[in-house]
Amino acid sequence: MAALLGLLAVFPAHAQTDLQTERATAWKARLTEHIVGNRLLPTEVRGQTGHAKMTFVIDRSGKLTSRTLIESTGSRQLDVALLAIFDRAQPFPEPPSELTEDTFSFVVPIVSDGRHFGLVPYGLAASVPTPAFARSDALDAWRKTVTEHVWRHRAFPPEAIGQKGDAGATFVIDRSGKLISNALAESSGFRPLDAETLAMVERSAPFPKPPVEAKDDLQRMTILITFDGTRPMGGPWADEAKVKAKVNSVCRGC
């Protein structure tokens, strides 16, 4: 009976921890979407490209309390424009009640392609993470590693020279990094490119193992890739800046 009561006492704590992690992850995703809600750069910095890294702090009401440039693009004008993005983004989505801190600090890498700005995939990270954010950030870092791992196994099918298109694959990985399943998530409309998208994932096995913070035994990811076989021979055939990764939770036992 004492052991049973002990289990009953522990279960709500675990459930609360999982809920806190899920709410923290969902809120961080909303923050990312909110920041990139208006991706168009101001007219005065159109054509300027570069990478920067920002840190910003918001309070519980979503008010911006500070934002600082910690890595410059090399252009003062572009740096100022990127900082202004955070000023315009106020107010930010409010944190969930499960996160009890008074302020929240984040570090985010930003890239400008000359017309739009974007956040580096999985780049938004808590600079002083709570346990919930620590778990979320560990998964985000792993997903970014998997995305880069798959990218390194890309190839262009010779029979697709002159063709271009976007394709995507959804795949499931277990805790050992083994590929469990792989399916086309988005078709390019051209069979050789679709086949290469699936083959790219298969060549990537085994994958980096998920972190211990991952609560599910199976992790599902969707990788999107842009093929361009119309470029000159010897030139890049895929635009890495257009490669996106979006992660979906996987149900237990799927």
Side-chain angles (χ1 to χ4, degrees), residues 39-41 45-51 73 78 82 110-119 239 241-242:
R39 299 181 61 249
L40 196 63
L41 289 169
V45 293
R46 300 274 174 84
Q48 296 189 37
T49 61
H51 293 74
T73 61
L78 184 56
L82 293 179
I110 300 180
V111 59
S112 166
D113 65 6
R115 184 171 176 80
H116 304 92
F117 77 88
L119 306 189
D239 187 349
K242 291 184 179 179

Side-chain angles (χ1 to χ4, degrees), residues 156-164 190 228-231:
F156 194 89
E159 63 270 31
I161 297 298
Q163 299 290 331
K164 60 191 303 184
F190 189 62
D228 189 350
T230 64
R231 300 188 181 192

Side-chain angles (χ1 to χ4, degrees), residues 79-202:
D79 288 347
V80 171
L82 293 179
L83 284 169
I85 290 167
F86 293 88
D87 296 330
R88 293 196 304 271
Q90 295 186 81
F92 292 85
E94 295 182 9
S97 58
E98 287 80 7
L99 300 178
T100 58
E101 290 77 5
D102 292 328
T103 60
F104 301 87
S105 178
F106 295 94
V107 176
V108 55
I110 300 180
V111 59
S112 166
D113 65 6
R115 184 171 176 80
H116 304 92
F117 77 88
L119 306 189
V120 175
Y122 312 116
L124 183 63
S127 59
V128 184
T130 64
F133 273 125
R135 284 186 289 274
S136 173
D137 291 343
L139 281 170
D140 285 350
W142 172 74
R143 289 161 182 155
K144 182 175 184 290
T145 298
V146 171
T147 300
E148 294 171 347
H149 176 74
V150 174
W151 177 262
R152 287 193 292 271
H153 290 82
R154 69 194 189 276
F156 194 89
E159 63 270 31
I161 297 298
Q163 299 290 331
K164 60 191 303 184
D166 299 326
T170 294
F171 53 98
V172 177
I173 306 169
D174 70 9
R175 287 195 177 274
S176 70
K178 179 183 178 181
L179 179 65
I180 302 300
S181 66
N182 182 22
L184 196 68
E186 180 178 329
S187 174
S188 66
F190 189 62
R191 184 174 296 178
L193 295 182
D194 291 348
E196 169 52 32
T197 301
L198 295 173
M200 175 180 65
V201 174
E202 292 168 359

